[in-house]
Amino acid sequence: MNEGHDDPPKLPTRERSSRPGSGRHRRPLPATLPPDAPALVLAVPGMAGDVAAEIASIIRLDNPQIDLRLVSLMDGGADLAKEFVSAAADRPAAETAAVAVPLVTGSHPRVMRAVRDAVTQSETPVTITDPLGPHPLLAEALHMRLSEAGLARVDRMRLFNVTSPVDGIIVATTGGDEGARGADATAVLLAARLTLPVVPAALDGVPNVADAAERLRKIGANRLAVVPFVIGPEADHEKATAAAEAIGAGCAAPLGAHEAVARLVGIRYGAALGSYEESDED
């Protein structure tokens, strides 16, 4: 009790925003999900090999509450359709059976068409998410892959470019001409991190890596590096390496099972389920 004095004013209570988080530390998924929550089906272009399996392992470790299924698109989507039917059998009729997340970094018409065809074939209610990019997390991951290959220097504390052994970067992706156009936003994000010119190219379309190199050299960038904007299953890394060698450039490793890839799969799945609260914790 505080006799003879007015009670101090109460401090305002901070409430969490009801809007979906958009920052790096947004928790994309709740700690628990109902048993009949949609399955998370990772649609893998190419073989569902070591890289895809490692990504799935990271997701399961961080989110054991998810019914996660890994399916290859090697057969054009037949196995994917069967997995949708299997997921629907475990869930109430007319409810969303699965959320299909294409394991690609950006626009990839062939992969998206295969996933859509599988949904049609299965005749089950499935939500198809957008590709994983563009996203700042992927630009950061590309920066780290360049650094690991000795093609970019990085301050480990702030992730800022210090000095660079190259003066131009080519972000090489798949998905043909549309994939290259879609990678432009990621190229801009990476350029902002590196303070270097960065241009996109397609490993299976135009502009190709040689076209991108010519564009960079016209603005005075002659020491070039190629960074594959692919996860791994969707492209042969030897093709990226050969394209880099043909223009006299170094080549970084693909994104592979980078933590950013697994995190973005969770973000896409969470966004498909609905809005969740922001969290200041990773």
Side-chain angles (χ1 to χ4, degrees):
M1 190 169 180
N2 200 12
E3 295 184 358
H5 299 279
D6 294 333
D7 290 336
K10 291 183 179 181
L11 295 174
T13 301
R14 181 183 175 185
E15 297 181 354
R16 290 187 182 274
S17 171
S18 60
R19 295 174 300 167
S22 57
R24 287 182 57 197
H25 301 295
R26 178 169 81 91
R27 185 181 297 281
L29 294 167
T32 60
L33 288 171
D36 59 354
L40 192 173
V41 181
L42 269 181
V44 183
M47 292 185 61
D50 293 345
V51 170
E54 187 175 350
I55 292 168
S57 295
I58 295 171
I59 297 167
R60 288 189 179 107
L61 183 64
D62 292 341
N63 305 279
Q65 74 278 27
I66 297 177
D67 175 11
L68 174 59
R69 308 177 185 210
L70 191 63
V71 185
S72 168
L73 292 173
M74 284 286 286
D75 61 0
D79 283 346
L80 186 60
K82 292 176 184 176
E83 201 64 59
F84 292 153
V85 172
S86 172
D90 297 334
R91 288 162 176 81
E95 294 292 325
T96 301
V99 173
V101 181
L103 197 61
V104 288
T105 55
S107 181
H108 201 302
R110 180 180 59 80
V111 169
M112 300 305 292
R113 183 167 55 251
V115 176
R116 288 193 298 269
D117 288 348
V119 173
T120 301
Q121 182 181 344
S122 69
E123 299 182 337
T124 57
V126 174
T127 298
I128 304 172
T129 75
D130 291 334
L132 303 185
H135 196 282
L137 283 174
L138 291 180
E140 180 178 317
L142 291 177
H143 189 173
M144 295 308 297
R145 289 291 185 251
L146 285 163
S147 177
E148 290 163 1
L151 299 170
R153 300 191 188 280
V154 69
D155 180 327
R156 292 184 181 274
M157 294 299 292
R158 298 192 178 187
L159 298 179
F160 289 156
N161 187 60
V162 181
T163 57
S164 178
V166 301
D167 47 27
I169 305 289
I170 298 169
V171 171
T173 191
T174 58
D177 305 3
E178 188 174 326
R181 290 193 298 272
D184 192 61
T186 299
V188 171
L189 291 169
L190 186 59
R193 294 182 62 84
L194 297 174
T195 61
L196 290 172
V198 180
V199 297
L203 293 170
D204 52 0
V206 293
N208 60 28
V209 171
D211 296 331
E214 182 179 359
R215 178 179 167 190
L216 286 168
R217 286 174 175 142
K218 283 182 178 179
I219 60 172
N222 294 302
R223 298 174 302 151
L224 306 180
V226 174
V227 58
F229 188 40
V230 297
I231 295 166
E234 72 274 41
D236 183 354
H237 182 49
E238 292 183 1
K239 189 171 184 179
T241 302
E245 289 176 351
I247 62 168
C251 189
L255 289 167
H258 193 284
E259 180 186 358
V261 174
R263 185 177 178 87
L264 283 168
V265 171
I267 288 173
R268 290 289 180 259
Y269 177 74
L273 293 185
S275 300
Y276 288 97
E277 294 179 299
E278 285 191 40
S279 171
D280 292 330
E281 300 174 0
D282 285 330

